[in-house]
Amino acid sequence: MKLLVVGAGEMGRWVGGVVAAELDPASVAFADTDPEVARQAAEAVGGRAVALSTDERFDAVCVAVPMSVAEETIERHAPNADRALVDVTGRMADPVAAMAEAAPDRERASLHPLFAASNAPGNVAVVTDESGPVTDRLLDALDSAGNRLVETTPDEHDSAMETVQAGTHAAVLSFALTAEEVPEGLTTPIFEELAAVAEQVTGNDPAVYAEIQTTFDGADRVAEAAALLADAAADDADDGDDETFAQLYREATETMQDAADEAVTDEDATASEATPTEADDS
């Protein structure tokens, strides 16, 4: 496969690395607004760097740029793709539509690795808008690298990211912003686990997290829930009971239990689909 990766950041390098390692033969090229970054990415996987203005054609083009410039990058580099156009930008609905408009006669897929590259392999959300041999080979390479491919739809994915990314990051960063120093020995297991998660979220590129917040809703609901809890505690203190807060606590418990039950149901359905029946064996 001859692949051009547009955007030589963390995810672009990850895709290029998987293709270089899992497909034979494979030729990987990188293009980036910073030519030196493209050169370093190419060197890491035994590929090459090309200019953003290149008119060279490739079997596949993978757009791995920030969500805010995904659509314009797709439009600009679709002509470089002979057979397939793919994105790993993190949002799906708009890029999938942009790829369909820019490359209606080519294979198209949107991918979202749900992990940092340093934590690979992991779950990769997949929307295959137009399948074919090139996108099939790319998905096979991801699978061979140990990733779990999760088929979804653009709307389902983007809706989930409101909770999985925007809401989660908002809750964790709010904890980090309000946490005060705690004397040794006075922590709880829950505090320690949350502090460990906060350490993972902080200390990275703030632009990535800012873009998630501006792209997906979710932070507003976290703020509203925190305000409800604070108001409930104040009301209960005035009333001399704990009923308002307790009701919110019960709602939270039910929400988490429903989510856990749905996850189990989904796992059972997946296992059932993967298990041959007697009819299949006959």
Side-chain angles (χ1 to χ4, degrees), residues 41-53:
E43 185 176 287
V45 303
R48 59 194 176 94
V50 298
L52 276 175
S53 59

Side-chain angles (χ1 to χ4, degrees), residues 5-28:
V5 181
V6 182
E10 180 181 8
M11 282 297 107
R13 292 184 184 213
W14 174 77
V15 171
V18 169
V19 169
E22 300 295 334
L23 295 183
D24 185 19
S27 171
V28 180

Side-chain angles (χ1 to χ4, degrees), residues 79-99:
N80 297 108
D82 268 339
R83 302 178 63 186
L85 187 59
V86 178
D87 88 284
V88 288
T89 58
R91 179 174 53 174
M92 288 190 163
D94 291 341
V96 165
M99 287 189 288

Side-chain angles (χ1 to χ4, degrees), residues 58-83:
F58 297 80
D59 294 324
V61 172
C62 176
V63 173
V65 299
M67 291 181 282
S68 57
V69 295
E71 291 140 89
E72 63 186 79
T73 306
I74 287 168
E75 181 180 3
R76 178 178 179 182
H77 290 281
N80 297 108
D82 268 339
R83 302 178 63 186

Side-chain angles (χ1 to χ4, degrees), residues 48-180:
R48 59 194 176 94
V50 298
L52 276 175
S53 59
T54 183
D55 59 2
E56 185 177 351
R57 304 293 289 267
F58 297 80
D59 294 324
V61 172
C62 176
V63 173
V65 299
M67 291 181 282
S68 57
V69 295
E71 291 140 89
E72 63 186 79
T73 306
I74 287 168
E75 181 180 3
R76 178 178 179 182
H77 290 281
N80 297 108
D82 268 339
R83 302 178 63 186
L85 187 59
V86 178
D87 88 284
V88 288
T89 58
R91 179 174 53 174
M92 288 190 163
D94 291 341
V96 165
M99 287 189 288
E101 181 175 352
D105 57 344
R106 276 151 283 178
E107 301 170 38
R108 303 180 303 276
S110 184
L111 311 173
H112 185 191
L114 299 171
F115 48 82
S118 59
N119 295 327
N123 288 352
V124 179
V126 178
V127 168
T128 306
D129 197 38
E130 187 65 42
S131 63
V134 176
T135 53
D136 286 348
R137 286 195 72 202
L138 178 57
L139 295 179
D140 286 345
L142 296 176
D143 181 72
S144 297
N147 298 286
R148 178 189 176 212
L149 306 184
V150 182
E151 291 285 348
T152 185
T153 66
D155 289 342
E156 181 182 58
H157 168 271
D158 291 355
S159 177
M161 290 308 105
E162 294 181 2
T163 295
V164 172
Q165 289 192 313
T168 299
H169 295 170
V172 173
L173 290 172
S174 296
F175 166 79
L177 287 168
T178 58
E180 298 181 354

